[in-house]
Structures are given as structure tokens and as C-alpha cells.
Amino acid sequence: MDNNKQNEVPEAGMQKTLSLWNFFTIGFGAIIGTGWVLLVGDWMILGGGPVQAMIAFMIGAIFLLPIGAVFGELTAAIPVSGGIVEYVDRTFGHNMSYVTGWFLALGNGILCPWEAIAISTLISELFAELPGLGWLNSVKLYTILGADVYLYPTLISLAVAVYVISLNFRGASSAAKLQSFLTKALLTGMLIAMVVSFIKGTPKNILPTFEQVQGPVTSTSANNMFQGIISVLVMTPFFYAGFDTIPQQAEEASADLDWQKFGRIISAALLASGVFYMICIYSFGTIIPWSKFIENSVPALAVLKRINMILYVVMLVIGTLGPMGPMNSFYGATSRIMLAMGRKGQLPESFSELDANGSPRMANIVMAVLTLVGPFLGKKMLVPLTNVSALAFIFSCTMVCFACLKMRRTEPDLPRPYKVPGGKVGISLGCLAGLIVVGLLVIPGSPAALNLVEWSIVGAWLLVGLILMFISKSKKKA
């Protein structure tokens, strides 16, 4: 039997248009976003230098490879939208499947309004400083949690959000075209940093290898190189979150897709993102001495502003467009998770319905509302949600690894066009990697442990989920 045909999904209606390149750009764009522009200086500060930051991101990518391979195996074998719900349901039952799907919806969905806030923040804080653009901050709407919200940046961010929303309502192929463009824009940004580093910089600028420094917001708490690497390493899962957006849209794969090659796409997106991060850290760390580079709040842009105003504006535009990538990817992925939960009866039946374009209608509406709220919240409103998002994401990934391990025993005859390298040992490494990261996020005393506010958010989200599950079950009984 042809591996490309053997596991087609019985449900009809979704467009079958996504290619291997589309899937790669969906994952790569979701991972990269604009964090490298805004936070590359903080990575150097926390690690005590660019070398520690580069090593941490390299280890982080390698650390997550087994989890990516697990997603590749299960998605190639069971290519359904929101497949994570199906995998866990087949192995650990309905309730655990619901918890896993609902957690991942939190981890992915909340990043859509977060990215909208990032766009409005860049416009109000950086574009408004350019000659002739001061009017961007001329109309202040209000202050929330100490952050000012201005009219024009909010409107521009809303316009970007509406554009992304409209693409997702048109179907996966329209959203994929945007992702391909944004991938090229991000690579252009990396190329600019490399060229400037080659012309203006020197490798000597990454010295000293380790030094405790104080930045505008953060400072080095590590006492040596090893501690510096660990300090950055615990953050990397958040900056690699997004590779799970690839399998969430597997049901929309083109009919002739090679599922064996698809299994490698997730690992390729992780590795490409790791290389991207390392090149950016090295390039920006060598333009000028890194201990001077980190003195500005957004050093990646500040250093270019001193060198060449045109390059600065180009990078600023790329940095502002960057959040559209994760917004677009997470929007599509989260709506497919909700679609899968609707099909399973875990959410109201309306979530299982597709519109004329083959898109999940109710899930798209919910995501549209969530995304459009973002620009009005202010840049400090969603800060506690970053750790929450990381926990929700890695918990769900860990459950998928355990599901994959169990299915090797319970469904040994399931056709698997792609298998995790190393078999059960490779899958077990994914389980172990997930448990370690979850532990770093929940064990008190860990540098990445959630605080009381963040645990309150997790509890509130679970409560809402339980209410929706109760409503769904009540309607089914009626």
C-alpha cells in the first residue's frame, strides 16, 4: 500500500494544498518571530556572553529533536488536524486528551494577541522616534499596568491582525503564502546582521568569553560559563515553541505529499531555527564589543542605527513584520486544535464545522476575538503568560511523546511512513527531555519556575475548560 495514501483522513472539506516547503515555513516562522531582534541582548546578558548564549541555543535545539521526531512519526501515521488530541485520546483516554488539547490551545492561542502587542509596542517605541513619525504617539488612549496604549499604533496593529485573520478564513493555502514571504524577510534580516558583522566587526568582540554584566533590564546572575549556559538554556523551549504548528495542519497536506520526508520537516525546522539563532547571536555579538552592545534596551536595532540609518529602518521593518509569522502559524494551529476537540465532543459541536473554504469556522471566530483584543492590553499585560505558554506547550509535547511510546506497543501494525530514529530509545529520549523541561518550570527554586500569578492563570484556564467540557457533555445527553 502507498504510504502517501494509506492514512488519509475520512473527513472531507478541508483544502489539500500544503507542500513540504509550506509546512517548513509554517514551523520556522512560528519559532523565529521577532524575539531575536528584541531579546538577543538579554540572551547575552543572562549567559554572561554571546558564547554561552550560542551554546545554549544549540543544546536547546538538539534537546528538542527527539520530541520533533515523535511529532513527525505520529503525524505521518495519523495526518489529522489537531492530531495531538487524537494521539492522546487513543492512548490515555478522553479526559487526558482533553487536558492535553486544552493546554496546547492555551500555549499556542495566547501567542496571537501577544504578537499583536509586540507589533504595537515596536511602532510606539521605535517607529515613533523616527523623524516625522512622532504623531504616532500623539493620541494616548489609557495606561494599563504602567504601560501606555496609543491610538495609532493600536490601529496599525489591529490592521495587521485583521489581515492575518482574513487569510486564515480564506484557508490554509492563503495563510501559507504569507508565511513563505515572512520566512524570506527573516532570512534577509539575518543576512543584514551577517554582512554588517563581516564588514564592521571582528571575532575579538565576543571576548571576554564570560563576564557578569548589568543591562537596562536584566543582569548576569551566573557565576561561571556553565551556569551562564543553563540560565539561557531554560529559556530556549519558549523560543523554540512553534514546531508543533506543523503537525496541527497535516490534514491540509497536498495529495501527493511524501509523508516519509514530512517526518523530517519538523526536525529540519528546529535545526534551521537553531542555526538562525546562533548566527544572529554571533553576528550581533561581533559588530562591536558585546559588553558595549548590551547597554541599549533593543541593542540589535540600536547598533544598526549608529552604523547606517537605512539598515536600521530595514531591520526595524523586518522586526515589526516578524510577529506576523508566529501570529499566522499559531492562529492556524490553535484553530485546528479546537476543530479536533470539537470532533471529539470535547468542545461544543459547532467547533467541528467547516466553512466553504474548508476552515474551522467557530474556532476561527474565537481566535479572531482573542487576537483582536491583544493591541488594547498594553505591553505588560501578557508578560506572566510567557511562562504559562511554555509550560502548556512542553507539557503537551511530553504527553505526545508518551503517547507515541505507548502506541508502539498497542498499535504495532499502524503504518508509519516515518519512524523516530533509534526506535523506542529515541522516543524515550523525547519523554525524558519533556519531563526535564516541565520540571524546570514547576519545581520551586528553579530559575524558570512559575509564580503564584502564573499558576492562577493555569488554574483559571483549566476551570474554563472544565466548564466547556461539561456544556458539551450536557448537550450530547440532551
Side-chain angles (χ1 to χ4, degrees):
M1 184 179 293
D2 184 354
N3 282 343
N4 286 335
K5 301 291 185 182
Q6 59 194 4
N7 292 314
E8 287 190 41
V9 183
E11 291 88 346
M14 304 197 83
Q15 296 178 358
K16 309 290 186 179
T17 57
L18 299 182
S19 65
L20 290 174
W21 172 250
N22 292 148
F23 281 116
F24 175 82
T25 58
I26 286 170
F28 183 78
I31 294 171
I32 296 301
T34 195
W36 58 280
V37 176
L38 300 177
L39 299 174
V40 64
D42 292 291
W43 299 339
M44 295 182 193
I45 294 168
L46 290 171
V51 173
Q52 288 77 257
M54 286 189 288
I55 293 173
F57 271 93
M58 177 187 67
I59 295 174
I62 296 172
F63 203 66
L64 292 173
L65 279 179
I67 298 178
V70 165
F71 271 99
E73 175 174 319
L74 290 180
T75 307
I78 312 171
V80 296
S81 290
I84 188 171
V85 178
E86 175 69 19
Y87 314 148
V88 180
D89 184 61
R90 289 167 70 153
T91 50
F92 297 107
H94 188 80
N95 290 335
M96 185 55 71
S97 169
Y98 181 83
V99 171
T100 302
W102 192 241
F103 254 102
L104 190 58
L106 168 65
N108 284 356
I110 206 65
L111 291 174
C112 292
W114 192 93
E115 299 296 346
I117 293 171
I119 293 172
S120 60
T121 300
L122 283 167
I123 293 170
S124 65
E125 293 190 357
L126 297 177
F127 270 101
E129 293 181 349
L130 295 176
L133 294 181
W135 56 269
L136 286 169
N137 288 344
S138 61
V139 181
K140 178 180 172 181
L141 296 176
Y142 48 83
T143 299
I144 181 169
L145 293 181
D148 295 331
V149 178
Y150 297 96
L151 175 62
Y152 297 115
T154 299
L155 291 177
I156 295 171
S157 181
L158 283 173
V160 172
V162 168
Y163 175 64
V164 172
I165 291 167
S166 67
L167 288 179
N168 280 273
F169 269 95
R170 293 178 201 167
S173 60
S174 296
K177 290 177 182 177
L178 171 63
Q179 209 65 13
S180 180
F181 165 76
L182 291 173
T183 297
K184 294 172 184 175
L186 291 170
L187 292 174
T188 300
M190 181 183 70
L191 184 61
I192 290 174
M194 289 175 61
V195 171
V196 173
S197 171
F198 180 77
I199 296 175
K200 296 285 187 179
T202 170
K204 294 180 180 179
N205 286 333
I206 64 173
L207 300 176
T209 305
F210 176 80
E211 182 179 355
Q212 291 183 319
V213 293
Q214 175 70 51
V217 179
T218 56
S219 60
T220 309
S221 58
N223 295 316
N224 52 56
M225 283 189 65
F226 177 76
Q227 291 181 3
I229 293 170
I230 297 299
S231 297
V232 181
L233 182 61
V234 295
M235 299 172 56
T236 57
F238 179 79
F239 294 103
Y240 283 117
F243 67 81
D244 63 301
T245 60
I246 297 174
Q248 303 307 341
Q249 295 177 246
E251 196 172 322
E252 290 144 287
S254 61
D256 60 348
L257 190 83
D258 186 330
W259 286 104
Q260 187 175 23
K261 291 182 179 178
F262 172 90
R264 303 187 184 100
I265 287 295
I266 301 173
S267 297
L270 274 169
L271 289 175
S273 300
V275 172
F276 182 97
Y277 282 133
M278 291 175 66
I279 290 176
C280 287
I281 295 168
Y282 175 82
S283 297
F284 284 116
T286 55
I287 293 175
I288 61 175
W290 73 266
S291 56
K292 298 290 183 182
F293 173 80
I294 53 90
E295 292 177 353
N296 298 281
S297 58
V298 188
L301 293 172
V303 70
L304 290 179
K305 190 175 184 179
R306 291 199 297 265
I307 293 173
N308 187 288
M309 195 65 180
I310 295 177
L311 290 179
Y312 167 72
V313 173
V314 171
M315 186 68 83
L316 179 55
V317 170
I318 292 172
T320 306
L321 290 175
M324 292 175 65
M327 184 191 295
N328 186 40
S329 292
F330 286 117
Y331 191 108
T334 309
S335 64
R336 272 60 178 181
I337 295 168
M338 293 180 178
L339 169 68
M341 296 179 74
R343 288 173 172 173
K344 288 287 185 183
Q346 298 170 345
L347 289 177
E349 187 178 354
S350 57
F351 280 86
S352 66
E353 299 173 358
L354 301 176
D355 61 20
N357 293 318
S359 298
R361 180 178 58 85
M362 181 56 68
N364 271 346
I365 292 173
V366 171
M367 288 305 302
V369 173
L370 186 64
T371 303
L372 291 173
V373 168
F376 296 98
L377 297 178
K379 66 178 181 179
K380 294 185 179 179
M381 180 63 82
L382 295 181
V383 170
L385 293 179
T386 54
N387 272 346
V388 173
S389 176
L391 173 62
F393 163 72
I394 203 66
F395 169 80
S396 302
C397 290
T398 305
M399 286 303 304
V400 170
C401 290
F402 278 103
C404 185
L405 187 63
K406 187 173 182 179
M407 286 175 69
R408 282 292 187 100
R409 176 173 54 84
T410 58
E411 300 187 45
D413 297 327
L414 177 70
R416 293 172 169 86
Y418 172 82
K419 292 185 178 181
V420 176
K424 292 182 180 179
V425 174
I427 300 171
S428 298
L429 288 175
C431 296
L432 178 62
L435 288 174
I436 290 173
V437 179
V438 169
L440 289 171
L441 290 166
V442 302
I443 296 175
S446 165
L450 271 64
N451 58 35
L452 181 60
V453 173
E454 292 159 351
W455 278 119
S456 300
I457 295 169
V458 172
W461 183 257
L462 286 177
L463 179 61
V464 172
L466 290 173
I467 293 172
L468 286 175
M469 184 168 65
F470 176 78
I471 293 173
S472 300
K473 288 183 177 181
S474 299
K475 288 185 177 180
K476 288 182 71 175
K477 290 180 180 178

